[in-house]
């Protein structure tokens, strides 16, 4: 991948290094990248040389901050600040995050004096979990920051200039603060659910649940929240009770109906079908639909369709799927760009016998204790 770009004599040694290595000039531009670095960055040497190192080497620290900003590796006197201690960072190449251990040394003399020599060791797969955690932290900090900034801004203004605002203005500001506080609470609830799902620690409080009552209840609540009717059809023909966690099922359904309300303008229908084994509930909307290339990723953590402007975190469908699967069901989606989507989930039918509980053992223990 070095291409035809001539490697300066004094840098030939780097060519042979067993780790990706790069030389950044004192002006912050890339002077050289060895073949392993080119591979890591997925670019030819000729395409790299002369580029702003900061924009090519997108490095983030564990808490999601920009490494170039925090470490200022090219700042200060190179003869005083000679070495950069090894640090594990996340390197973003296109859409991929890679964990790298970065070390560096400042160049003191010669043609590259004042520059920075960096090596980047790929950190093995065990570290990927930490990278995911760093991504999570950075997304979460971002998501928390905007409502908190608004809460802080409004409360500060109100405290400082209380007498200058009319009652109506004060009410409006407090309403915004209230909404933003709700947003933070919602996000924290979602994160808790995500961490439980990821750790396999989701505890279901199962009982016999009647979907025939639960579904209309959700519809009424969502519609009350938006102040108008949107769900035209609710068709749940004679469904038997299921052994499930009613709060979690409600969460699943609420998310699907709220999404249909939020992301579409057309009519919404909720229907159910059943066979011997399971009940399938489907929420259909007549909205814009989801493009085939986005459909694959729709249940992924933090996924939002490119350019999505409506408020959200991209966690809803991930949690929904996790909750459905915790019940032994399956979550699916079909969609046609331009004519709407249908999100379905299944719940295994029946009572305790489908929950994995040994009914015979339970019966005999009840008999012996009484
Ligand atoms: P959020 O709503 O917080 O973004 P979700 O996981 O619920 O998170 O949804 C992920 C993305 O999927 C949304 O950002 C939206 O772009 C898309 N989406 C979800 N439901 C629908 C729908 N019914 N129609 C079109 N797009 C949808």
């Amino acid at each position: 991948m070095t291409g035809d770009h001539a490697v300066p004599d004094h840098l030939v040694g780097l060519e042979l290094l067993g780790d990706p290595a790069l030389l950044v000039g004192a002006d912050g531009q890339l002077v050289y990248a060895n073949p392993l670095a080119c591979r890591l960055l997925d670019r030819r040497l000729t395409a790299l040389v002369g580029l702003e190192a900061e924009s090519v080497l997108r490095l983030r620290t564990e808490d999601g901050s920009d490494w170039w900003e925090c470490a200022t590796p090219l700042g200060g006197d190179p003869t005083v600040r000679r070495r950069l201690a090894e640090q594990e960072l996340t390197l973003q190449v296109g859409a991929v995050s890679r964990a790298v251990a970065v070390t560096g040394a400042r160049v003191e003399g010669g043609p590259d004096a004042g520059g920075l020599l960096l090596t980047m060791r790929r950190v093995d797969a065990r570290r990927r979990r930490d990278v995911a955690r760093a991504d999570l932290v950075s997304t979460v900090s971002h998501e928390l920051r905007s409502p908190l900034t608004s809460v802080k801004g409004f409360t500060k203004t109100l405290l400082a200039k209380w007498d200058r605002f009319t009652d109506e203005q004060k009410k409006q500001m407090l309403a915004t603060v209230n909404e933003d506080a709700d947003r933070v609470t919602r996000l924290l609830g979602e994160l808790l659910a995500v961490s439980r799902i990821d750790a396999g620690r989701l505890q279901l409080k199962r009982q016999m649940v009647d979907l025939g009552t639960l579904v209309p209840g959700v519809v009424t609540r969502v519609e009350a929240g938006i102040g108008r009717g949107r769900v035209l059809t609710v068709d749940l023909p004679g469904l038997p009770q299921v052994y499930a966690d009613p709060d979690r099922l409600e969460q699943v359904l609420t998310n699907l109906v709220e999404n249909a309300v939020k992301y579409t303008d057309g009519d919404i229908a909720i229907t159910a079908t059943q066979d011997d084994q399971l009940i399938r509930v489907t929420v259909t909307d007549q909205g814009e639909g989801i493009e085939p290339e986005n459909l694959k990723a729709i249940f992924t953590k933090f996924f939002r369709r490119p350019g999505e402007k409506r408020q959200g975190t991209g966690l809803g469908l991930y949690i929904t799927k996790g909750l459905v699967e915790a019940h032994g069901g399956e979550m699916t989606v079909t969609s046609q760009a331009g004519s709407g989507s249908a999100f379905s989930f299944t719940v295994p039918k029946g009572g305790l016998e489908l929950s994995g509980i040994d009914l015979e053992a339970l019966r005999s223990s009840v008999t012996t204790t009484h």
Side-chain angles (χ1 to χ4, degrees), residues 186-253:
R186 215 167 31 242
L187 176 65
L188 292 177
E190 286 185 345
L191 288 169
L192 199 63
V194 166
S195 88
R196 290 204 172 123
I197 290 168
D198 286 351
R201 276 190 294 110
L202 198 70
Q203 282 185 348
L204 298 181
K205 296 195 183 97
R206 290 188 193 247
Q207 62 189 66
M208 296 314 291
V209 181
D210 181 9
L211 286 169
T213 323
L214 186 137
V215 177
V218 168
V219 172
T220 309
R221 263 191 300 282
V222 174
E223 290 185 335
I226 56 167
R228 65 192 176 109
R230 282 289 308 273
V231 181
L232 276 199
T233 318
V234 179
D235 187 15
L236 312 163
L239 297 179
Q241 294 203 338
V242 285
Y243 187 62
D245 183 329
D247 293 341
R248 306 297 197 183
L249 280 193
E250 213 174 285
Q251 203 177 338
V252 166
L253 207 68

Side-chain angles (χ1 to χ4, degrees), residues 190 255-264 283 285 287-291 294 297-306 308-320 335 340-343:
E190 286 185 345
N255 188 40
L256 296 182
V257 179
E258 280 183 350
N259 273 358
V261 166
K262 180 159 73 166
Y263 296 113
T264 75
V283 179
D285 66 63
E288 62 212 60
I290 300 158
E291 313 70 17
N294 292 327
I298 204 89
F299 296 111
T300 321
K301 215 186 291 183
F302 294 119
F303 178 81
R304 311 203 73 216
R305 283 163 62 218
E308 186 59 73
K309 298 225 164 44
R310 288 153 289 201
Q311 213 175 72
T313 56
L315 289 174
L317 287 174
Y318 178 78
I319 296 171
T320 302
S335 188
S341 316
F343 285 87

Side-chain angles (χ1 to χ4, degrees), residues 63-84:
D63 68 1
S65 318
D66 182 304
W67 176 73
W68 294 92
E69 261 174 41
C70 311
T72 54
L74 283 165
D77 180 349
T79 56
V80 179
R81 281 186 70 198
R82 287 194 189 128
R83 274 202 70 227
L84 295 179

